[in-house]
Amino acid sequence: MQFPKFQRRGLSSTSHFVVSILGPPNAGKSTLFNRLQCKEKNKAYLLGSSSKRARGRISSQSTSNGTAIVSPIANTTRDRRQCWGRIGGTEFALIDTAGVNGDRIQLLGNTKTDKHSLEKSMMSQTVKAAKEADLVLLMWDAKDGISHDLMATARWLRKLGMISKVAILANKLEGDSWAYQGSSVMKQLEDASRLGLGEAIPISALQGEGMADIALLIEEKKQQKLVGEDTDEQHRTNSLEKGSQEIEETKPLQMAVLGRQNVGKSTLINTLIQDDRVLTGPTPGLTRDAISIDHVWDNKAVQLVDTAGIRKFTKRLDESIEDMSVADALRAMKVAEVGVLVLDAQELYIHRQELAICSAIINEGRALVIAANKMDLLEMSSDFSPDDFADGVRKQLEDRIPILRNTPVVPMSCLTAEGVCNLLPVVMDAKNRWSRTVSTGLLNRWLKEVAAGTPPPVIGGIRAKLKYIIQAKGRPPTFLLFCNLGKLPGNISTLWNASSDPCQEKCN
């Protein structure tokens, strides 16, 4: 596994030590994942983001700070989520996985049926995490004892030949009330040592107890890897770092993929990177966590973020997993530079929910790109092409939200990959426009032109006079408009729809 983002920041090969967290469902894996996260390196930069919560149809009662979703409900985690980890002075790549049980392990070898496709996909992601790891932290709930799922997972890891890379953690052991000779917990720890994976380490991921033992374990395994590296490995690492220097030394473009449920967001991500990185399927609400994926396109670093489908607020339960997923999706939108809204072309019209997402992206000051997916399900002809469909989408957007005039629309089919290659060039162009600055002279010539064509209205018997305009900043483009009134009229946005914008004039 490669981490383009990690290489791009010039880190040495020692930072490619990978720690994967595995275990039965509801063992506390995501809680440990959140505790081991390096908050500084995983911190996304906010670009003038509003601190206010989204309101209306896409609002959420939950909050998200970028950590994995944690819930007492089993099987909350589905996708494989990775980030930077750090404990003490040791840094590493950290991977969270879905729960492993005996039934899912048996599904790995079953290729004759498509039943339980979701569980098979989840298990496939867990297999990748286990094989990529230099250290596997196998967790289990010590209060529940040695379960069949834990024993099945231990046998499966032994078959993979990973005994030397596995450490077993007995979680949910707060305090020391259990630590006396003859207690049921001590007997379970002794039974765990018979699994052939070494002595179990008692921890509490929630309270942070036992983290010192984990820190010593990770540092020891990391040093063993460094000692075991041969000349070929060092040469391969040097070649990898040399290639990573060719990537532009800038922050990656942050691109969040948003939309309603079951419109093809995860399929779009997989098609872009040409890998089954995130779970896909016909089941609505499959994605839960916002999964960040580092990608390199045209020698430029891009961070793709797959998000959960956003349903209307009234259709979600308060503090539910879905509501937490929506909160994570909204956080991804706030830290993005470009928001890609995926539409289902079969619907033939834009839903109110999608208009609400568009408004949220614009109000947050982010660039907007529309991806019209599932074009393969429409009947195209010489009289009606995909470009004609894109023009229709733009017309609907302009009629309902005039400020979204000329929003780029990319018709595509993520299933057949047709048109997907056109998305990232459009996203890059949208990001460049979003970062552009316009001279004051050009802005005021444009303002004079549009004001002459559409005179400002009269407010309280006084006609509004637009004196001049300046650009205060870029990313997102922010302008200050000066007039003779204390407050601008509410319909001043009609000016922006009266003529071409100054950024287009600058390009021409």
Side-chain angles (χ1 to χ4, degrees), residues 282-468:
T283 305
L286 199 59
T287 302
R288 288 179 172 172
D289 289 283
I291 304 299
S292 177
I293 302 166
D294 292 321
H295 183 55
V296 177
W297 176 84
D298 194 25
N299 205 34
K300 295 181 177 66
V302 183
Q303 189 172 67
L304 311 174
V305 183
D306 184 27
T307 64
I310 303 176
R311 288 202 302 169
K312 186 178 178 181
F313 173 70
T314 55
K315 294 183 178 180
R316 291 181 257 125
L317 298 176
D318 294 345
E319 304 299 331
S320 63
I321 294 178
E322 181 184 357
D323 195 63
M324 290 187 283
S325 300
V326 171
D328 210 18
L330 295 177
R331 181 202 61 84
M333 177 197 69
K334 289 185 176 183
V335 301
E337 294 169 295
V338 180
V340 176
L341 176 62
V342 183
L343 308 179
D344 186 346
Q346 267 191 304
E347 300 290 342
L348 299 180
Y349 70 95
I350 301 178
H351 290 255
R352 290 182 61 188
Q353 184 71 6
E354 291 161 340
L355 291 173
I357 297 173
C358 286
S359 297
I361 294 173
I362 296 303
N363 292 337
E364 200 62 45
R366 305 301 180 246
L368 173 64
V369 175
I370 305 295
N373 188 26
K374 304 185 182 182
M375 291 294 297
D376 56 309
L377 301 179
L378 298 181
E379 294 184 3
M380 296 289 107
S381 65
S382 58
D383 298 329
F384 187 77
S385 66
D387 291 336
D388 295 327
F389 182 87
D391 291 338
V393 173
R394 274 190 289 268
K395 183 64 169 58
Q396 288 189 47
L397 279 175
E398 182 180 352
D399 291 343
R400 300 188 183 189
I401 308 179
I403 200 173
L404 294 180
R405 180 175 53 89
N406 293 332
T407 297
V409 179
V410 183
M412 64 177 64
S413 170
C414 297
L415 192 61
T416 64
E418 184 176 358
V420 175
C421 60
N422 300 324
L423 178 62
L424 285 179
V426 174
V427 168
M428 289 292 180
D429 180 67
K431 186 256 184 181
N432 292 335
R433 288 173 57 83
W434 180 75
S435 306
R436 183 174 295 139
T437 56
V438 185
S439 67
T440 302
L442 178 57
L443 280 173
N444 283 279
R445 287 195 298 271
W446 168 80
L447 179 64
K448 183 178 179 180
E449 175 187 340
V450 297
T454 308
V458 176
I459 305 295
I462 302 175
R463 181 171 292 279
K465 294 181 180 180
L466 305 181
K467 296 180 178 180
Y468 62 96

Side-chain angles (χ1 to χ4, degrees), residues 97-117:
T97 62
V100 183
N101 56 37
D103 294 336
R104 290 178 183 171
I105 293 175
Q106 292 179 359
L107 290 174
L108 289 175
N110 188 357
T111 59
K112 297 181 180 180
T113 178
D114 292 333
K115 291 182 178 180
H116 310 292
S117 58

Side-chain angles (χ1 to χ4, degrees), residues 84-157:
W84 274 110
R86 182 172 66 186
I87 185 167
T90 306
E91 295 180 350
F92 47 91
L94 184 64
I95 303 178
D96 187 21
T97 62
V100 183
N101 56 37
D103 294 336
R104 290 178 183 171
I105 293 175
Q106 292 179 359
L107 290 174
L108 289 175
N110 188 357
T111 59
K112 297 181 180 180
T113 178
D114 292 333
K115 291 182 178 180
H116 310 292
S117 58
L118 173 59
E119 286 77 7
K120 289 173 66 175
S121 299
M122 291 165 60
M123 194 61 203
S124 297
Q125 295 288 334
T126 302
V127 170
K128 291 180 182 179
K131 291 183 177 180
E132 293 167 354
D134 297 299
L135 173 63
V136 173
L137 300 179
L138 177 59
M139 295 182 65
W140 58 289
D141 187 346
K143 294 181 179 179
D144 291 343
I146 305 298
S147 64
H148 169 74
D149 292 336
L150 178 63
M151 293 187 290
T153 304
R155 287 194 298 268
W156 170 63
L157 290 173

